[in-house]
Amino acid sequence: VHYATERRPEFSKQVVFKRAGHGAVITHQVALYPSSTPSKDSMLKQQLVDQPFVKGELWQDRLVQIMTSPGWTVEQIQSWVKAWFDGFCAVAGVSNLESIVDKKVSGKYFDAIPRNMVVDGNGAPIFIDQEWIFSEDMNVGYLSFRALLASFLSIGVVANPFEYKYLRVSQLLICVMQCINIDLNECRIKKYLDLERKLDQLISGKVQTYNTEELASWFASLELRVFDTQTPVHQKLAQRDKQLTDIFKSASWRITRPLRAFRNWFL
């Protein structure tokens, strides 16, 4: 049983994995508060349906394997992104990749992100858990930005890369999105982050005090954390305790509280 509760009551749910006939497994999704319903003009619609459990490799897990291997390269990430993007384009009916960034697709592909893609035993991509549907058509540039940012933020720590500049999430995203013909410029980043801010507030119901400029600043400074395999464990724990104490006492910790809440939307 899995619960999603850090949301407004109308979006909270329970997922039960259970056996059906002939040994098959299904995922049974139900609303935790069925009497609570979202407004009719909501930007996002939620669909909770029973689905068969798909066996295969979760594509997000492949990214974890790559980025936790010392010396990982941006070329490896690009190959991983292309595989997801090919699957996304196939299911969304996108064939012409010219001027792809502003091409519109149905809002029902809002949740077709790498962590919802399973590659089955035949190598075919299958998208699962398509919970969210956007009320309007959406451009491919935003959906790709959201999908890849969510993937990178879902990784706790990474190994040392071949090029350290790609620990900066903005640089990594800009580079890998170029391989799918999407130019991630400053204007688009702010536009995409602002939409994420609105969706975060819609789902979580939390009052937000940060603006688009603050989000852009947060994004520009966002870096992946590298795990340390050299320092003894007891020294790591001592360093961690001191770092946490310093952080919790800092003014920046209090100021950036809303931004940390925003990060949870991707997770």
Side-chain angles (χ1 to χ4, degrees), residues 228-239:
D228 179 8
T229 59
Q230 303 299 322
T231 305
V233 173
H234 70 279
Q235 291 185 24
K236 290 182 186 180
L237 293 175
Q239 292 171 0

Side-chain angles (χ1 to χ4, degrees), residues 35-241:
S35 60
S36 298
T37 56
S39 62
K40 294 182 179 180
D41 59 350
S42 173
M43 288 190 296
L44 276 181
K45 306 295 182 183
Q46 186 184 40
Q47 58 174 2
L48 300 179
V49 296
D50 289 356
Q51 303 171 13
F53 180 79
V54 179
K55 293 183 179 180
E57 180 184 19
L58 191 64
W59 203 236
Q60 178 71 21
D61 290 346
R62 176 71 66 87
L63 179 65
V64 173
Q65 293 173 8
I66 294 171
M67 300 188 78
T68 54
S69 299
W72 59 268
T73 67
V74 71
E75 289 78 16
Q76 289 176 293
I77 307 299
Q78 287 175 333
S79 296
W80 176 84
V81 168
K82 286 179 180 178
W84 162 75
F85 193 66
D86 287 346
F88 169 80
C89 288
V91 73
V94 178
S95 55
N96 184 359
L97 301 185
E98 294 183 6
S99 303
I100 190 71
V101 64
D102 293 320
K103 191 178 293 292
K104 296 284 188 178
V105 298
S106 170
K108 70 180 181 179
Y109 302 114
F110 180 83
D111 235 5
I113 62 179
R115 68 183 184 196
N116 286 339
M117 188 175 94
V118 174
V119 178
D120 68 13
N122 297 319
I126 301 172
F127 287 96
I128 62 172
D129 195 22
Q130 300 298 284
E131 177 182 1
W132 302 109
I133 299 175
F134 199 80
S135 58
E136 302 174 357
D137 289 349
M138 311 196 74
N139 67 59
V140 173
Y142 163 69
L143 290 175
S144 299
F145 174 83
R146 174 182 184 269
L148 298 180
L149 182 57
S151 294
F152 295 136
L153 290 184
S154 295
I155 298 179
V157 290
V158 301
N160 285 313
F162 182 73
E163 296 180 87
Y164 281 85
K165 65 180 180 179
Y166 292 118
L167 289 175
R168 184 65 62 92
V169 173
S170 58
Q171 289 213 23
L172 181 59
L173 264 177
I174 289 170
C175 181
V176 298
M177 291 184 72
Q178 286 175 345
C179 80
I180 55 175
N181 299 324
I182 295 177
D183 176 24
L184 192 61
N185 56 39
E186 183 179 359
C187 180
R188 287 181 178 136
I189 288 173
K190 289 183 178 180
K191 180 180 178 182
Y192 298 162
L193 286 174
D194 189 56
L195 180 53
E196 286 297 314
R197 177 182 62 83
K198 293 176 181 176
L199 293 175
D200 171 47
Q201 185 170 15
L202 171 65
I203 299 299
S204 68
K206 298 175 181 176
V207 177
Q208 300 170 345
T209 58
Y210 50 91
N211 56 38
T212 303
E213 294 298 327
E214 289 173 320
L215 282 179
S217 177
W218 164 78
F219 176 73
S221 64
L222 187 61
E223 291 190 357
L224 298 170
R225 292 186 297 132
V226 177
F227 60 76
D228 179 8
T229 59
Q230 303 299 322
T231 305
V233 173
H234 70 279
Q235 291 185 24
K236 290 182 186 180
L237 293 175
Q239 292 171 0
R240 183 203 62 181
D241 291 343

